[in-house]
């Protein structure tokens, strides 16, 4: 350390004397490098900042800034730091520029303890059944050292005048194969050595008797008798007085252990016993539970010496104590069958499952009457038994045997069918986290207690007793409904049970949701239905409909109460795709439906409907008008027009001469009678002049045939026989020049002259048309057209 201080002073003197020339004049560093000092000493370090050309620096020790008052500047490139009473086992020191906060240099400082301390030693008796022999001595100490250190432990026995040594690189060392005396003392010194230094601890003297540690006891045994446990062991140091301690633990289900109740041992502290020179030790433990696994271990100590280690643990299962048996009995009675018999399931508890021995159970059911004896015996299983009784009241007796010895007898009452019994009222339940709290109102009669039973599936029942009007049911299955029955007890009889059905142990998320969307032009109608997935789904408090545009629209929502199952979304954009979903919110959680996509309509359906109706009306009117036009056109097309090439000019009689002329325009003569005109008899007749080339006939004998048009104009005689048309010579009073075929080639009509003809007075007619009488009617030259016939027909 003197050399290090001289080096620091030399460096300081050099820098104070002026700038240093050479290759290291522009370096940055902290020196001395990695010093190793004794804990609690002072140290001075220098930071050279020549490479940065700054004089303002600060220090950090393990990244914590050091007070600037601990450092001082020697010159513009060297700063000295003084640390007093340095005790860090290992620390990193760095210097920084004050302007740029750049690390200039650093070093690691390590310390070592001044000397080993807190030395302790323990003597292990290898053969504790003899007064002397080979022992071992283990010593430990404290010394905080980071670099490798070699330790040497020296022990000096006072009476034996013997020195022993032990070497180690750790802070513990064991002497073996020692021959010691019980009353001897030993002085121990620990020396720590490195390449740079060595240091020794203060000497420590021990009395071997006080640091002696016994070996754990052996031969641990436990016996059980009438609820008492006897724990025995064998001590390995019988020649000296001492004491032993027993550790008692209960082994619970799952392997967990707890300390025994101190009252079980009769002491307020852990049970122990005092021993003089005895080799064996024992202790009695009372009030132990029946059929419980206990663990025991023992340790001992010789007067003021060190406690031995605990002995090997031993397990023991206690026997069943009759005084501890608390047999509890209950039953579930079914409704009477068609034969009037009832099934009674008898259940019991109170016999520990882990007890040794053989247990048998007998049930005897007898009618509950003072004057009736006997009954039926039934041999049952370990916890339940089914018996059959009639509609009368019965008493069921359960007898438990252990190894063929009667252990306990218990009975219960089964009421008769229709028996009027008191019962509890106003049962209230509250469920939370698989726990059901049940409360009820007591009957008017005083009760001795209550039996509460519950079932989830109707086949397996659980039950318990209570003296109060409330009970907590735990250990239930998650999200399952239970049927709970509360029955009051009246001494050795029971009341009527009151049942509450389908009480859920806990509630899950709401039911699943299926949604339906009917899109419109600027709105959409959203409806949904819930489907139950679980028996105990949470009650829905509200529904929230979430919707947004499929691309970049904002997320909107509408919330309705739990009774609403539809909502109308308004102010939507036409011809736009949206995504909608529904959240069902309950106190137990939220259920969200799957996303449903829909696209609003491009046009308003109302406008489309109106246009469709208007278009339909217009189309109907057009079709109607077109049909009318077509009918009229067809009628027009069907009007027969005579072919002039096939027509001829006939002689038409005057009205006075039209007697016996029959008209049947546009008709088939065979279908109906023709229209007949009855002219009166002509006053006078004229004799026609003979015309060469013409046939001589009367006017009534002429016929005009319209062959092309399918219509005929027939002339009939009085006997209704048709007459072939004949050429009639022209009348002397008529000129035929205008209609002569020779006179004009363009005129297609043939010229015919009218003659005077007398018509008979009477004729067979189907229709009579009155005409004016003329004394004399002359034949006229006429043309026959369709209009003329239709007009005449209309008349």
């Amino acid at each position: 350390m003197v050399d290090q201080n001289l080096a620091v002073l030399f460096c300081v003197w050099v820098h104070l004397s002026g700038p240093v020339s050479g290759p290291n004049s522009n370096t940055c560093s902290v020196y001395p490098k990695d010093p190793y000092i004794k804990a609690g000493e002072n140290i001075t370090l220098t930071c050279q900042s020549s490479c940065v050309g700054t004089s303002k620096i600060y220090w950090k020790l393990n990244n914590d800034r050091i007070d600037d008052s601990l450092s001082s500047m020697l010159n513009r490139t060297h700063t000295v730091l003084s640390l007093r009473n340095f005790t860090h086992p290992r620390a990193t020191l760095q210097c920084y520029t004050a302007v740029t906060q750049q690390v200039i240099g650093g070093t690691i400082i390590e310390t070592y303890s001044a000397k080993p301390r807190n030395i302790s030693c323990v003597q292990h008796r290898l053969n504790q059944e003899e007064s002397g022999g080979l022992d071992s001595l283990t010593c430990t100490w404290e010394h905080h050292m980071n670099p490798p250190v070699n330790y040497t432990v020296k022990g000096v026995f006072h009476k034996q005048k013997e020195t022993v040594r032990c070497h180690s690189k750790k802070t513990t060392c064991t002497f073996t194969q020692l021959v010691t005396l019980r009353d001897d003392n030993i002085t121990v010194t620990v020396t720590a050595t490195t390449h740079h230094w060595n240091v020794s601890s203060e000497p420590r003297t021990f009395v071997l008797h006080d640091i002696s540690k016994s070996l754990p006891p052996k031969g641990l045994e436990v016996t059980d008798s009438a609820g008492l446990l006897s724990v025995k062991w064998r001590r390995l140091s019988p020649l000296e007085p001492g004491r032993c301690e027993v550790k008692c633990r209960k082994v619970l289900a799952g392997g967990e252990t707890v300390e025994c109740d101190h009252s079980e041992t009769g002491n307020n502290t852990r049970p122990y016993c005092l021993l003089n020179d005895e080799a064996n030790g024992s202790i009695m433990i009372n009030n132990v539970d029946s059929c419980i696994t206990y663990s025991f271990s023992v340790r001992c100590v010789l007067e003021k010496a060190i406690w031995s280690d605990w002995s090997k643990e031993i397990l023991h299962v206690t026997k069943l104590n009759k005084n501890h048996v608390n047999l509890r009995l209950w039953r579930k009675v079914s409704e009477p069958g068609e034969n009037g018999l009832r099934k009674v399931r008898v259940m019991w508890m109170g016999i520990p499952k882990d007890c040794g021995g053989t247990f048998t159970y007998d049930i005897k059911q007898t009618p509950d009457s003072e004057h009736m004896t006997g009954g039926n015996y039934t041999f049952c299983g370990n916890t339940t038994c089914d018996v059959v009784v009639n509609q009368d009241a019965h008493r069921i007796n359960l007898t438990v045997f252990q190894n063929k010895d009667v252990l306990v007898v218990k009975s219960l009452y089964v009421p008769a069918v229709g028996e009027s019994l008191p019962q509890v009222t106003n049962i209230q339940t509250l469920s939370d986290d698989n726990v059901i709290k049940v409360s009820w109102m007591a009957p008017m009669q005083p009760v001795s207690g209550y039996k509460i039973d519950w079932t989830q599936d109707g086949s397996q029942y659980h039950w318990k007793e209570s003296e109060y009007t409330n009970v907590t049911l735990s250990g239930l299955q998650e999200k399952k409904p239970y049927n709970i029955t509360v029955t009051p007890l009246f001494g050795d009889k029971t009341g009527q049970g009151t049942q509450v059905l389908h009480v859920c142990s806990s509630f899950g998320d709401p039911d699943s949701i299926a949604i339906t969307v009917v899109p419109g032009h600027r709105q959409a109608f959203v409806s949904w239905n819930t489907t139950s997935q679980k028996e105990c789904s949470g009650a829905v408090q509200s529904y929230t409909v979430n919707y947004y545009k499929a691309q970049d629209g904002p997320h909107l929502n509408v919330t309705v109460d739990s009774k609403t199952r539809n909502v109308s979304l308004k102010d939507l954009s036409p011809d736009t795709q949206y995504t909608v979903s529904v959240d069902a919110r309950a106190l137990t959680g939220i259920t969200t439906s799957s996303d449903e996509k829909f696209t609003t309509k491009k046009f308003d359906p109302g406008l489309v409907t109106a246009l469709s109706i208007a278009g339909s009306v217009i189309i109907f009117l057009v079709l109607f008008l077109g049909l009318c036009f077509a009918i009229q056109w067809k009628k027009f097309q069907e009007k027969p027009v005579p072919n002039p090439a096939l027509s001829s000019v006939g002689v038409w009689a005057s009205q006075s001469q039209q007697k016996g002329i029959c008209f049947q325009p546009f008709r088939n003569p065979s279908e109906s009678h023709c229209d007949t005109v009855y002219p009166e008899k002509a006053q006078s007749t004229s004799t026609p002049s003979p015309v060469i080339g013409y046939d001589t006939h009367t006017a009534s004998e002429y016929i005009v045939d319209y062959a092309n048009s399918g219509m005929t104009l027939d002339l009939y005689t009085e006997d209704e026989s048709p007459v072939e048309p004949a050429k009639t010579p022209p009348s002397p009073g008529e000129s035929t020049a205008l209609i002569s075929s020779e006179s004009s080639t363009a005129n297609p009509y043939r010229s015919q002259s009218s003659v005077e003809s007398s018509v008979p007075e009477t004729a067979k007619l189907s229709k009579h048309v009155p005409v004016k009488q003329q004394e004399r009617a002359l034949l006229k030259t006429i043309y026959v057209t369709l209009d003329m016939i239709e007009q005449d027909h209309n008349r």
Side-chain angles (χ1 to χ4, degrees), residues 312-340:
K312 185 178 179 180
E313 189 177 61
I314 185 173
L315 301 178
H316 179 79
V317 179
T318 57
K319 295 180 180 180
L320 179 61
N321 189 345
K322 290 185 179 181
N323 298 326
H324 295 168
V325 176
N326 181 20
L327 185 64
R328 290 168 289 170
L329 193 62
W330 189 233
R331 81 291 185 275
K332 288 296 294 184
V333 184
S334 65
E335 295 294 329
E338 296 180 356
N339 55 3

Side-chain angles (χ1 to χ4, degrees), residues 491-729:
D492 61 346
K493 291 191 176 183
T494 64
Q496 186 70 33
T498 303
Q499 189 176 52
V500 58
L501 303 177
H502 303 295
V503 180
C504 290
S505 60
S506 58
F507 295 92
D509 294 339
D511 299 333
S512 62
I513 305 172
I515 63 176
T516 303
V517 183
V518 179
H521 176 54
R522 297 184 63 87
Q523 69 279 342
F525 184 78
V526 182
S527 60
W528 58 88
N529 292 317
T530 57
T531 303
S532 180
Q533 291 181 322
K534 302 176 183 177
E535 297 174 297
C536 293
S537 298
V540 177
Q541 303 292 318
S542 64
Y543 293 99
T544 300
V545 181
N546 307 292
Y547 61 99
Y548 58 91
K549 291 183 180 179
Q551 297 179 352
D552 56 354
H555 287 247
L556 305 175
N557 62 75
V558 177
T559 300
V560 296
D561 57 32
S562 59
K563 297 181 180 180
T564 305
R565 291 293 188 276
N566 57 75
V567 69
S568 181
L569 307 179
K570 299 181 180 180
D571 299 329
L572 305 181
S573 300
D575 194 23
T576 303
Q577 188 182 61
Y578 285 85
T579 300
V580 64
S581 63
V582 178
D583 295 340
R585 297 180 180 271
L587 296 177
T588 56
I590 300 175
T591 297
T592 303
S593 69
S594 59
D595 291 342
E596 185 75 16
K597 297 183 182 298
F598 68 92
T599 303
T600 54
K601 297 183 180 301
K602 189 173 184 179
F603 301 102
D604 189 354
L607 178 61
V608 173
T609 303
L611 293 177
S612 300
I613 295 174
S616 300
V617 172
I618 293 174
I619 293 174
F620 176 77
L621 293 176
V622 171
L623 292 177
F624 179 77
L625 294 176
L627 180 61
C628 293
F629 178 78
I631 293 173
Q632 295 300 324
W633 177 256
K634 183 177 180 181
K635 289 182 178 180
F636 177 77
Q637 290 290 335
E638 289 179 352
K639 289 182 180 181
V641 178
N643 187 352
L646 302 178
S647 301
S648 61
V649 178
V651 177
W652 194 265
S654 62
Q655 290 182 348
S656 62
Q657 295 177 331
Q658 289 178 356
K659 181 180 179 180
I661 299 177
C662 178
F663 297 94
Q664 193 176 9
F666 305 101
R667 295 184 182 178
N668 192 331
S670 63
E671 293 181 358
S672 64
H673 295 287
C674 61
D675 296 333
T676 307
V677 179
Y678 293 91
E680 295 182 0
K681 185 177 179 180
Q683 297 291 333
S684 63
T685 60
S686 60
T687 302
S689 299
V691 180
I692 299 174
Y694 290 88
D695 294 333
T696 305
H697 294 282
T698 61
S700 60
E701 296 175 342
Y702 290 107
I703 182 170
V704 180
D705 184 14
Y706 299 95
N708 291 342
S709 62
M711 295 176 289
T712 59
L713 175 62
D714 298 330
L715 300 179
Y716 294 86
T717 60
E718 291 181 0
D719 57 359
E720 296 186 359
S721 60
V723 179
E724 292 294 333
K727 296 182 181 180
T728 305

Side-chain angles (χ1 to χ4, degrees), residues 329-331 333 342 344 346 362-370 372-378 387-399 409-416 419 421 451 489-495:
L329 193 62
W330 189 233
R331 81 291 185 275
V333 184
R342 297 177 292 168
V344 180
V346 184
D362 291 348
I363 283 184
K364 179 182 178 181
Q365 65 264 28
T366 58
D368 187 53
S369 175
E370 298 178 355
M372 300 187 68
T373 60
N376 299 324
Y377 283 91
T378 304
V387 297
V388 177
V389 298
N390 58 23
Q391 300 186 16
D392 298 329
H394 281 73
R395 186 163 292 278
I396 296 178
N397 301 288
L398 173 65
T399 304
V409 178
K410 196 81 171 181
S411 67
L412 58 80
Y413 177 75
V414 178
E419 184 176 354
L421 298 172
K451 289 286 181 69
L489 305 178
F490 302 93
D492 61 346
K493 291 191 176 183
T494 64

Side-chain angles (χ1 to χ4, degrees), residues 108-128:
I108 296 176
I109 306 173
E110 292 183 282
T111 63
Y112 61 90
S113 299
K115 57 182 68 175
R117 56 183 180 175
N118 295 336
I119 302 174
S120 64
C121 296
V122 176
Q123 182 188 20
H124 299 279
R125 306 291 297 273
L126 300 182
N127 187 357
Q128 300 188 29

